[in-house]
Each structure stands twice: as structure tokens, then as C-alpha cells.
Amino acid sequence: MPERAGFNMAEIQRPRLSLGPILYLWPREQVFDFYAEILETPVEVIYLGETVCSKRRQLKPEDYWELAERITAAGKEAVISTLALIESEGELKTLKRICADQRFLIEAGDLAALEFLEGRPFVAAHSINLYNQRTLDFLIKLGLKRWVMPVELGRSTVADLLKYRPVGVECELFAFGRLPLAYSARCFTAYNRGLGKDNCNFCCGDYPGGLLVTTQEGQAFLNLNGIQTQSATVHNLLPALPEIRALGVDLLRISPQSQHTAEIIRIFAACLDQTLDPLEGTMRLRQLAPGELCDGYWTGQAGYRLGMALEAH
Amino acid sequence: MELVCPAGNLSMLKAAVDHGADAVYLGFRDDTNARHFAGLNFTDQQIAEGLKYAHDRRVKVFVAINTYPQPHNWKRWAAAVDRAAGLGVDALILADMGVLDYAAERHPQVNLHLSVQGSATNPAAIGFMQRHFGIKRVVLPRVLSLAQVAQLIQNISVPVEIFGFGSLCVMVEGRCLLSSYASGQSPNTFGACSPAAHVEWRDTPQGQETRLGGVLLERRAPGEPAGYPTICKGRYWVDGELRHAIEEPTSLNTLEILPKLLAAGVSAIKIEGRQRSTRYVTQVTQVWREAIDACTRNPQAFQTKESWRKILAAVSEGTQTTIGPYERTWH
């Protein structure tokens, strides 16, 4: 979208920064240390909870609630995220227990969570398929307060939905990190170690940033994280910041990575505060990202493509 | 147990009807359904003709409108629902909550099935869809083990349809973006995984290469079999080894667990393959009709016939078949 004439940046509300849930299996202590570090950053909303694999129980719901209390005490908003794929009765029970807690806003990762959250405010994760205004209307009637756009949807659909959405309903974009692309019954980390999911030995813990998949000609392509398949490239919407502001997007999500997350948050925050140019910020992000940057989904291209910023530099 | 067969065109529909399908499923000629390929699918007039042919022989017709509209193209999905309802089809197979909401409100008399693309894998999700949209059937994503399918059926009041044969989606359907990551188009947005326009085949000195959106999915030696290229069946480097990192080029065949599926209370078996041929539909329908009849008559004595296995193996994509996620060790 071209810059509008007479555009006054100060009149536009600044999107808030959010931190997505940790998608990888990190040791318990590292998780606590991570959030302690994050509390010192300018991020305003923090999502936390296990969204990928129910076998990962190094943190229980009680631990996440405790962290959420600390986050709230630090003046930030805590949101409890839930599993994206629910298969077993045990997973459903845990989900029900998480959804029974009324203290924090909850992010629904699967349709099952909608069943439990209906009638109170909730967030729809990017793993809930909200592609159009009628779905938005339907979920608003149930209590939707905020939704994270499915990651494959680009600026034209974001613009259309933002024009349509009622006051008080917030739109969040997955703005930085490896893209969550797919979920399966199979654990791909275990599969590639010659193990089954039932006897996985928690081998995903050996890959705090996921297990890289490279094409036969050396292109870093995918990143395996248990039952989740991510992009190997790192989605970055920072160059689109002026446009994102103009559209009225409410939140920008940064997805945690095993290193440099706090620094990445600070770069985004500086760009939001207009003390750093988004293209300069992107050059810095390139040094901190675990893979090449991409942004194709935003402009309606293949997700792995990079079109917005770096090619011009 | 109902046998639900694919119809990519009128000739396939007739073949399915003639060879023992209880129901056929099909789509309009656009991206409102998840088999949006050139030359495939039905005009309204063809659907009307197919409906008459099927209904005269007491076979049901389901129309899949199971992709995800966006604001700019929403009207086309709504119109597809209206058209299908107006034609008097036996059920609509839908995925998007907005489309379900629209169909339930505008056409309360029409049966709605929740598509596999609707990603409902547990009692709470299915109950949610039933309560809000009155779904009369759920098609399960290929993620649950047989034991989980059986348990699920005990905990819901919606009849369950499962995929029994054909191409194997490895990811939860409706939430797989691998295709758009490489090509810009996904089953959700475009109605196709690996859209043909983005697929390249090329012979090189290193072997035959297949690419999607420029990304190399596979490079194989001369003579190695080649299925239709999808990202999940490609061969890549992982941890210093070249391998099928997600799944082998294999397809689904649940024939040998048919008595268990019956005992679990599965209401319908779906055959994948609207993009295949009339010959495929003829052969697969014949085998599955015979098998379901034999199994229903006497489940304890059920044995797969060698002739069935040969026919199904000959029409399977890739070199091997699997029971897939229904078998726990697959996970």
C-alpha cells in the first residue's frame, strides 16, 4: 500500500508488541530464566503455555499460572495458550482444566478450546481458521476478543478484515519468527531419530531451535519441532511497519527463539517508537535470526520468499 | 457402513454408482473445493445430471465446498452453497465456520457434513460443530489411531466417516500450509496442494528433479518411481542424512483393518482420489464394495483377498501402502 498523503503517524495508535508461546522443548529452568529476561523488555503481552506436544510436561499448568502472575505483577498482560492439536482424552482433560481457570485470558489453539471458552472473552490462535468476516462474526458472538491471523494470509485479507471488524476486537499478526506451518499425529523429531512418538525420549529437547530440513541443493527449507513443522526461514514483517500501522493492526507477535529474543523485542520496540528505521531494524534482525528472513505471505507470494526489504539493500 | 467414492467428473460418478458406491462426492469447477485441478469437477448441469443418475440408483451425492473463503471472494462460496442446496444434493461437505454458519442459517433442511478440512479431531471440537451448525457427519483428519477413533465414537453422537484408501495426508487437514509456503497457494486458499502451475519436472545430469515454487523436493535416480510431488513426501537432508524426513512416498490402505473399523462403529469409509481416473474409481469401488459386504456379513471370518490386494496395489500412488495413523507405531 502506498503512503497516504497527509498521513499523520501520531494519530494512529501504535500496535502493541506481544511474545508468542515458546514452541520448543526447553529445560524447565531455562523457561523460567527466559521469562525473567523477557520481563525486562518492552513487550506488552506475553502468551505462555504448551501449544505443540502434550507429552512435554516439564512445566505444568500451575507453573504457567505462576509465571502469568509474575507477568501481570510486572504490568504486562499474560495470556495462556493451549494445544493446537487435541487427539487424546488426557489432552482434552488438561485443556478443560486450563480453560476452567478464570484469572487470565486464554488463547484457543484448537476448536476444542472454543467449546470450553464460549461465553467469555478469548483469543483465537493462528491455528484456528479465521479466514473471513462471517467466521469473525460467529466467533465474536462466542466471546472472541482478539484473533491472530492465520499465517498464510497476507495484507489484502488483513486489510479487508480490519475494515470490517467491530470496535474492541483486536487483530494480531505473527510478525517475527519461524512460521508454524503444519501439525501431524507423527512426531517428526522422533521419526528422524528412528523413534516413535510413544517412546520419543523427549528427543525434541536436543533441538532448542528445532531440527533443520535442507533440500538436496542446500536450501534451508523446513524446521521440525515435534509434531509441528515450521519454516526454516524466519518470517519478518518489520519492513511493513508503516503499512501495518496504517491498517490499524493491534498487536505484533514475536515468536520466541532460543537466543536473542529480548534483543529482537527491543529492535521491534525501537521501530514502533520511531527511534529506529524499520529497514535498519531489519538489517539488525538478520544478524539475530536463526535462518534467512522471509516475508512472502504478506505480499501474497510463496511464504518462503523475501520481497520487501533486504533485496533492495 | 457406507462406501463414499470420489467423482472428479461425470464418468467417474457413473463408474462409482455402477460399481457399488453408497454415496459419491464431488465439487464445483473452482477453488471452493479441495480438488481444484484443471479439467476436473462439475458444472451445475453436470451435477444435476449426476444427481439424477445417482438418485435413480439410490446412491447419494455429496458436494464438497470445503476450502476457506476470504472477504474478497466470500460471495462465491455462499453462491456455491446456494447452488448445491438448490440442486437437491444429499449433503454439503463444509469446513469453514463462516460457510457452515451461512449454510445452517440459509438452508436448515440441508444435511451438513464437517469436512476433513474442518480439522475436528476430538469430542469437544466435534460437539462444538454439532451444537452450532447441526452437522450430521464428521470426516476425521488422518491423525487418530484406531483405538482413538473407537474411543471418539463412544464419546460423540455424530456419525464418523474416515479415509480408508488413497493419497495420505500426513498433516492435520485444514491446517497444513506447506503448499503455500513453497507456492503461495494452499488447500485452504486455493483448493489444491502442490498446484500444477507451480510444479516443475526437470531431467538433469544429477537425476530427475521435481520442484514446487522453485524449491527442490526430490532428485531421484533414473528408474526410481515418482509420485505427484508434495512437500511432505520429498527427500531432504536432516542431521547429515538424505531421507524422507516427513513421510515416504506411500499411500493409505486400511482394507486389512476393515473389521476393526466396523467394530469401532465407523459409519462411512471415504475413498480419496477425485483427481484420479475412471478406471481407478471403478477398480477401487469394486474392491471396497466386495470387502465391506464380506466384512458386514461375517466380520470374524473376514480376510483380504489376494486379488483385492493386487488391484489396490496397482492403483496406489508410490510404491507402498500403509495403514497410516490408524496404527499407533506410525505416529
Side-chain angles (χ1 to χ4, degrees):
Chain A
M1 181 189 283
E3 285 270 53
R4 287 189 225 152
F7 183 76
N8 184 352
M9 206 62 110
E11 287 172 9
I12 305 286
Q13 208 190 339
R14 159 194 186 281
R16 293 187 290 157
L17 273 186
S18 75
L19 182 71
I22 297 170
L23 301 177
Y24 310 104
L25 176 63
W26 295 348
R28 184 185 161 86
E29 282 316 304
Q30 191 184 329
V31 172
F32 281 89
D33 291 348
F34 175 79
Y35 285 115
E37 187 190 5
I38 292 301
L39 286 185
E40 306 300 317
T41 70
V43 78
E44 290 166 77
V45 179
I46 298 176
Y47 292 81
L48 66 169
E50 180 56 47
T51 60
V52 176
C53 179
S54 62
K55 288 189 72 183
R56 299 170 175 175
R57 294 191 200 114
Q58 85 288 11
L59 270 78
K60 298 182 170 55
E62 285 73 14
D63 294 311
Y64 288 114
W65 288 327
E66 187 196 320
L67 281 166
E69 298 281 9
R70 283 188 216 172
I71 289 164
T72 311
K76 300 181 190 294
E77 178 187 328
V79 185
I80 302 294
S81 297
T82 55
L83 276 184
L85 171 61
I86 306 267
E87 297 170 34
S88 74
E89 235 165 66
E91 287 164 355
L92 209 50
K93 264 187 202 157
T94 307
L95 177 68
K96 204 170 178 178
R97 192 158 80 86
I98 292 169
C99 293
D101 184 85
Q102 303 279 340
R103 286 170 292 175
F104 308 101
L105 192 58
I106 295 175
E107 182 184 42
D110 184 86
L111 294 172
L114 299 180
E115 174 76 354
F116 301 138
L117 293 171
E118 188 172 335
R120 58 181 275 204
F122 65 86
V123 181
H126 52 72
S127 51
I128 297 279
N129 284 339
L130 197 167
Y131 279 66
N132 54 65
Q133 66 279 39
R134 182 120 188 176
T135 302
L136 180 60
D137 277 341
F138 170 71
L139 291 176
I140 288 171
K141 271 187 262 164
L142 307 188
L144 178 114
K145 173 188 159 64
R146 181 189 301 160
W147 85 98
V148 187
M149 285 294 290
V151 299
E152 70 170 343
L153 296 181
R155 61 178 165 202
S156 66
T157 301
V158 171
D160 286 345
L161 283 175
L162 280 169
K163 267 183 255 159
Y164 180 82
R165 61 100 183 253
V167 177
V169 175
E170 295 179 314
C171 174
E172 176 166 341
L173 299 182
F174 187 98
F176 189 85
R178 284 181 149 152
L179 292 159
L181 296 175
Y183 306 88
S184 175
R186 172 176 280 173
C187 172
F188 299 113
T189 312
Y191 182 66
N192 280 280
R193 293 276 289 259
L195 303 168
K197 188 160 78 175
D198 290 340
N199 59 342
C200 67
N201 297 336
F202 299 96
C203 58
C204 60
D206 295 341
Y207 308 95
L211 175 57
L212 192 66
V213 173
T214 307
T215 69
Q216 292 188 46
E217 58 189 358
Q219 180 186 359
F221 182 39
L222 300 172
N223 193 48
L224 303 177
N225 173 38
I227 63 132
Q228 181 185 58
T229 302
Q230 304 178 333
S231 63
T233 51
V234 179
H235 187 62
N236 171 40
L237 293 185
L238 193 55
L241 193 54
E243 180 185 2
I244 285 170
R245 266 182 203 271
L247 287 173
V249 170
D250 302 278
L251 292 108
L252 295 180
R253 173 176 294 201
I254 292 165
S255 190
Q257 53 184 56
S258 59
Q259 288 180 307
H260 311 303
T261 303
E263 213 174 330
I264 290 163
I265 291 170
R266 290 194 178 95
I267 290 170
F268 265 83
C271 292
L272 285 168
D273 293 340
Q274 299 180 36
T275 57
L276 180 66
D277 174 66
L279 294 183
E280 172 59 26
T282 292
M283 299 310 282
R284 293 193 201 169
L285 289 174
R286 188 149 72 155
Q287 309 302 314
L288 305 174
E292 298 287 323
L293 298 183
C294 68
D295 56 28
Y297 276 140
W298 181 249
T299 53
Q301 310 297 307
Y304 81 93
R305 301 265 183 198
L306 177 67
M308 278 194 290
L310 296 184
E311 284 178 355
H313 282 239
Chain B
M1 185 187 269
E2 195 175 87
L3 177 62
V4 184
C5 295
N9 56 41
L10 208 47
S11 149
M12 286 166 82
L13 179 145
K14 289 177 179 171
V17 169
D18 291 347
H19 292 94
D22 297 304
V24 294
Y25 65 102
L26 50 83
F28 288 111
R29 287 203 152 170
D30 62 11
D31 50 2
T32 58
N33 78 94
R35 286 291 181 275
H36 173 212
F37 289 107
L40 212 63
N41 295 320
F42 288 70
T43 63
D44 292 34
Q45 199 192 333
Q46 288 166 334
I47 294 182
E49 193 181 328
L51 258 175
K52 174 151 180 27
Y53 190 88
H55 282 178
D56 283 350
R57 291 156 184 82
R58 296 187 178 176
V59 172
K60 293 183 224 168
V61 175
F62 305 153
V63 174
I65 306 171
N66 59 347
T67 47
Y68 288 83
Q70 296 170 52
H72 70 93
N73 58 21
W74 163 265
K75 281 185 184 157
R76 205 141 43 77
W77 269 253
V81 167
D82 296 340
R83 283 155 63 201
L87 285 163
V89 301
D90 298 283
L92 304 181
I93 309 172
L94 311 179
D96 177 62
M97 285 186 270
V99 175
L100 280 155
D101 191 48
Y102 176 85
E105 183 193 293
R106 292 293 179 94
H107 306 285
Q109 79 289 358
V110 175
N111 292 320
L112 305 183
H113 293 183
L114 184 64
S115 168
V116 70
Q117 290 286 113
S119 286
T121 56
N122 57 73
I126 294 163
F128 177 82
M129 291 300 202
Q130 182 183 27
R131 200 157 48 77
H132 286 288
F133 310 122
I135 57 165
K136 298 287 195 308
R137 183 179 294 187
V138 57
V139 187
L140 293 183
R142 279 157 275 194
V143 294
L144 301 179
S145 68
L146 181 61
Q148 286 172 326
V149 171
Q151 195 174 40
L152 175 74
I153 289 170
Q154 295 304 309
N155 289 311
I156 58 174
S157 57
V158 182
V160 163
E161 177 173 314
I162 66 156
F163 275 90
F165 185 84
S167 292
L168 175 66
C169 270
V170 183
M171 305 300 179
V172 183
E173 293 89 339
R175 295 194 281 173
C176 177
L177 311 182
L178 292 179
S179 176
S180 65
Y181 176 60
S183 76
Q185 294 176 320
S186 73
N188 285 7
T189 56
F190 182 73
C193 174
S194 292
H198 297 271
V199 171
E200 285 171 76
W201 305 78
R202 198 185 300 161
D203 287 314
T204 74
Q206 292 86 33
Q208 190 190 52
E209 295 182 348
T210 49
R211 288 170 191 271
L212 179 65
V215 178
L216 182 63
L217 305 187
E218 176 65 296
R219 182 187 277 156
R220 64 178 73 72
E224 272 192 274
Y228 191 77
T230 56
I231 291 172
C232 59
K233 314 279 169 50
R235 192 154 43 170
Y236 312 100
W237 289 103
V238 185
D239 253 353
E241 273 185 52
L242 186 61
R243 61 162 80 113
H244 294 104
I246 296 172
E247 177 58 306
E248 307 275 330
T250 183
S251 63
L252 180 72
N253 182 8
T254 61
L255 198 63
E256 65 178 87
I257 59 165
L258 189 53
K260 292 177 181 166
L261 295 172
L262 192 66
V266 170
S267 299
I269 295 276
K270 177 166 248 159
I271 307 297
E272 187 277 343
R274 284 192 280 144
Q275 73 287 7
R276 303 292 297 276
S277 62
T278 302
R279 183 180 137 86
Y280 167 90
V281 173
T282 301
Q283 295 189 326
V284 177
T285 304
Q286 259 172 344
V287 168
W288 277 86
R289 177 78 274 154
E290 237 187 275
I292 290 173
D293 288 347
C295 189
T296 312
R297 269 195 309 273
N298 190 351
Q300 279 78 34
F302 179 80
Q303 278 190 322
T304 57
K305 287 189 192 166
E306 188 53 33
S307 61
W308 297 345
R309 276 200 291 265
K310 272 191 187 151
I311 291 167
L312 295 184
V315 298
S316 292
E317 280 191 307
T319 51
Q320 39 178 327
T321 62
T322 171
I323 299 173
Y326 302 117
E327 193 167 44
R328 188 69 202 173
T329 51
W330 183 90
H331 288 229

